[in-house]
């Protein structure tokens, strides 16, 4: 094999590798909308519904059944926040409206805005866990050192599959300002 053939082979291989890399990159961007479509069709794993208020009118409670709802909180390692549920778990009857309290305290030393991101596990239960009121629906403005109780009102749909007897509602609470200055009321 002469040098000209070797260079031609190397060029072809380089173009194939670049094409493969570009295709992989494009596929990575396509995964998010594909996942959203799959969740929309199947109803599983649709976490977007957790950030909107649910309509629960006309739901009849199932007093024969109880489901344990656990509350888990987490704050990223960056930032200074205290964030915890008032109770770690509660027994609920599907179809009945309940309220749980969470407490957050701003320990950053400055006024800031925080946001809570919800997650429900198992993912199959997300379609049956409906919130009517939640601090996660909007960013929360905190003064320096402020501590606040924040409610979440929810209902577990009676159509929840019978094999699901435990649901975990988890929140990640983070500083949404992330270095951006929050305007005070006097500005």
């Amino acid at each position: 094999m002469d040098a000209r053939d070797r260079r031609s082979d190397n060029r072809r291989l380089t173009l194939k590798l670049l094409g493969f890399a570009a295709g992989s990159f494009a596929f990575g961007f396509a995964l998010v909308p594909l996942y959203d479509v799959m969740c929309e069709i199947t109803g599983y794993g649709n976490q977007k519904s957790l950030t909107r208020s649910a309509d629960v009118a006309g739901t009849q409670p199932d007093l024969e059944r109880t489901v344990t709802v656990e509350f888990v909180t987490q704050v990223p390692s960056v930032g200074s926040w205290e964030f915890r549920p008032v109770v770690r778990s509660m027994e609920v009857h599907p179809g009945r409206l309940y309220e749980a309290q969470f407490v957050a305290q701003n320990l950053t030393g400055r006024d800031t805005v925080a946001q809570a991101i919800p997650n429900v596990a198992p993912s199959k239960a997300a379609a049956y866990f409906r919130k009517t009121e939640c601090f996660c629906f909007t960013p929360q403005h905190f003064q320096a050192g402020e501590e606040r109780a924040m409610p979440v009102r929810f209902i577990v749909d009676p159509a929840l599959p019978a094999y699901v007897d435990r649901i975990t509602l988890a929140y990640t609470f983070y500083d949404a300002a992330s270095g951006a200055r929050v305007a005070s009321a006097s500005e």
Side-chain angles (χ1 to χ4, degrees):
M1 180 180 276
D2 65 358
R4 182 176 290 204
D5 289 340
R6 184 171 288 161
R7 268 188 253 132
S8 177
D9 288 345
N10 285 344
R11 270 193 212 111
R12 267 186 288 196
L13 179 61
T14 301
L15 289 175
K16 286 179 184 178
L17 290 173
L18 287 173
F20 181 75
S24 297
F25 188 73
F27 182 70
F29 276 102
L31 280 178
V32 172
L34 289 174
Y35 179 79
D36 289 343
V37 168
M38 185 192 74
C39 290
E40 187 88 20
I41 291 170
T42 65
Y44 293 123
N46 187 358
Q47 301 296 324
K48 287 182 180 179
S49 66
L50 297 175
T51 59
R52 292 188 297 266
S53 179
D55 179 23
V56 294
T59 305
Q60 293 298 315
D62 180 357
L63 301 177
E64 301 292 318
R65 181 177 177 200
T66 60
V67 176
T68 302
V69 178
E70 297 176 327
F71 305 106
V72 177
T73 59
Q74 166 181 321
V75 290
S77 58
V78 294
S80 298
W81 287 92
E82 180 183 329
F83 180 53
R84 60 181 163 71
V86 172
V87 296
R88 295 282 176 201
S89 67
M90 61 185 355
E91 297 287 322
V92 302
H93 293 288
R96 183 175 280 174
L97 186 64
Y98 290 89
E99 180 175 294
Q101 294 284 329
F102 290 77
V103 176
Q105 184 175 13
N106 176 6
L107 303 173
T108 63
R110 59 179 165 75
D111 294 359
T112 190
V113 177
Q115 180 71 50
I117 304 297
N119 189 27
V120 171
S123 62
K124 291 179 182 177
Y128 303 97
F129 191 88
R130 303 208 173 106
K131 292 183 283 186
T132 61
E133 179 183 329
C134 185
F135 55 90
C136 66
F137 293 159
T138 58
Q140 302 293 313
H141 298 270
F142 280 84
Q143 301 295 318
E146 180 182 357
E147 181 176 322
R148 180 185 318 159
M150 300 182 300
V152 59
R153 298 184 80 204
F154 65 91
I155 188 169
V156 175
D157 191 318
L160 177 73
Y163 63 86
V164 179
D165 63 351
R166 181 173 303 272
I167 298 173
T168 302
L169 174 61
Y171 286 103
T172 301
F173 199 71
Y174 69 95
D175 190 339
S178 59
R181 193 173 66 81
V182 178
S184 67
S186 62
E187 291 181 17

